[in-house]
Amino acid sequence: MRTQFGSKEHSSAYKLETLTPSTPFTGFSCPIEEYNEYLYKDALRSQNDHIAKTWLLREQATGAVAAYMSLIADAIKLSATEKELHNLNYPFKTIPAIKIAKLAVSQPFSEKYKGIGSFMIGAAIWKALGCNDDYCAARFLTVDADIEHDEGVLAFYQKNGFIQNDELFNKNRKTISMRKDIYC
Ligand SMILES: CC(C)(COP(=O)(O)OP(=O)(O)OC[C@H]1O[C@@H](n2cnc3c(N)ncnc32)[C@H](O)[C@@H]1OP(=O)(O)O)[C@@H](O)C(=O)NCCC(=O)NCCS
């Protein structure tokens, strides 16, 4: 049976760390090959080119990567109704955000624990709040939920408080644009 991830003991057993050129990717394997390929082949180049910043959740005892996420700067267009929903009474449509460009959990870890993906969303919120405190404003966490590979990711993001962006709705979609207000 899977146990819940995120207890006090996990906070010392796992560490969220940034990708570096010498980072070993021991043990990461997700059922969707594209997400493995990105981590092994593209993540470092994207980071060096300042296209995406990658964070790894690493098991300290083994060095295995349990999950990773890549964050990028973003801005989303909201309709008047959508802005009202967040009490954003401004004449402009575009609101700053931070986007989860990639998120994946390694299968051996998701077989052992539930909640790692949600823990990573929490970590992304924490990073976004830190950005607001120290650098620049970003009201939302955004994601293009990859329903091409798994329709269930929509439910995963909804359970983590994301809602669909009406303005960016695209009928012939492989992804669904979503946002989460990090201040409510
Ligand atoms: C999507 C992913 C990150 C979810 O991580 P996870 O650790 O399994 O998610 P959690 O355990 O935190 O799940 C939280 C809730 O979402 C649900 N959920 C998670 N993945 C789901 C899926 N694929 N389909 C339906 N529901 C899902 C869980 O059942 C759980 O619901 P509950 O709270 O009612 O029990 C992970 O499955 C993954 O890496 N998938 C492959 C890569 C991918 O698709 N990434 C997303 C790209 S946008």
Side-chain angles (χ1 to χ4, degrees), residues 32 35 103-105 114-118 146 150 152-153 156-157 159:
I32 305 173
Y35 290 84
L103 167 63
V105 178
K114 57 182 177 173
I116 298 183
S118 302
D146 177 2
D150 175 8
V153 294
F156 164 71
Y157 285 112
K159 283 180 177 178

Side-chain angles (χ1 to χ4, degrees), residues 30-37 146 149-150 153:
C30 146
I32 305 173
E33 194 44 39
E34 191 179 306
Y35 290 84
N36 298 327
E37 275 193 17
D146 177 2
H149 290 105
D150 175 8
V153 294

Side-chain angles (χ1 to χ4, degrees), residues 7-71:
S7 68
K8 224 175 179 184
E9 93 200 32
H10 293 143
S11 64
S12 53
Y14 289 81
K15 202 172 160 202
L16 194 69
E17 57 186 45
T18 189
L19 188 64
T20 69
S22 54
T23 300
F25 297 124
T26 337
F28 188 88
S29 170
C30 146
I32 305 173
E33 194 44 39
E34 191 179 306
Y35 290 84
N36 298 327
E37 275 193 17
Y38 173 80
L39 181 62
Y40 287 101
K41 294 186 184 158
D42 299 328
L44 190 59
R45 181 167 72 97
S46 297
Q47 186 160 288
N48 289 340
D49 288 338
H50 307 285
I51 297 298
K53 168 116 183 135
T54 295
W55 297 93
L56 310 171
L57 182 69
R58 193 188 289 283
E59 188 180 37
Q60 295 296 286
T62 62
V65 175
Y68 77 86
M69 64 179 176
S70 297
L71 301 180

Side-chain angles (χ1 to χ4, degrees), residues 1-178:
M1 205 183 99
R2 296 197 309 160
T3 55
Q4 183 67 39
F5 186 83
S7 68
K8 224 175 179 184
E9 93 200 32
H10 293 143
S11 64
S12 53
Y14 289 81
K15 202 172 160 202
L16 194 69
E17 57 186 45
T18 189
L19 188 64
T20 69
S22 54
T23 300
F25 297 124
T26 337
F28 188 88
S29 170
C30 146
I32 305 173
E33 194 44 39
E34 191 179 306
Y35 290 84
N36 298 327
E37 275 193 17
Y38 173 80
L39 181 62
Y40 287 101
K41 294 186 184 158
D42 299 328
L44 190 59
R45 181 167 72 97
S46 297
Q47 186 160 288
N48 289 340
D49 288 338
H50 307 285
I51 297 298
K53 168 116 183 135
T54 295
W55 297 93
L56 310 171
L57 182 69
R58 193 188 289 283
E59 188 180 37
Q60 295 296 286
T62 62
V65 175
Y68 77 86
M69 64 179 176
S70 297
L71 301 180
I72 64 175
D74 194 20
I76 47 168
K77 281 192 171 40
L78 297 183
S79 67
T81 319
E82 287 178 310
K83 281 190 289 181
E84 240 171 64
L85 206 62
H86 304 280
N87 291 319
L88 292 170
N89 184 18
Y90 295 92
F92 45 83
K93 273 187 149 188
T94 306
I95 309 291
I98 288 176
K99 184 171 191 169
I100 299 174
K102 285 274 186 291
L103 167 63
V105 178
S106 185
Q107 192 157 19
F109 288 89
S110 63
E111 281 168 5
K112 207 166 155 196
Y113 299 111
K114 57 182 177 173
I116 298 183
S118 302
F119 177 87
M120 294 300 279
I121 301 271
I125 292 171
W126 190 66
K127 295 287 173 199
L129 292 172
C131 179
N132 277 275
D133 283 347
D134 289 336
Y135 303 108
C136 66
R139 177 64 186 247
F140 295 103
L141 199 58
T142 55
V143 70
D144 289 335
D146 177 2
I147 56 165
E148 185 188 12
H149 290 105
D150 175 8
E151 291 206 351
V153 294
L154 187 63
F156 164 71
Y157 285 112
Q158 282 167 337
K159 283 180 177 178
N160 279 286
F162 285 74
I163 55 176
Q164 291 189 37
N165 292 323
D166 295 340
E167 276 288 291
L168 298 166
F169 186 78
N170 170 8
K171 264 191 188 164
N172 303 315
R173 59 198 197 263
K174 292 180 178 173
T175 60
I176 294 184
S177 171
M178 303 182 86

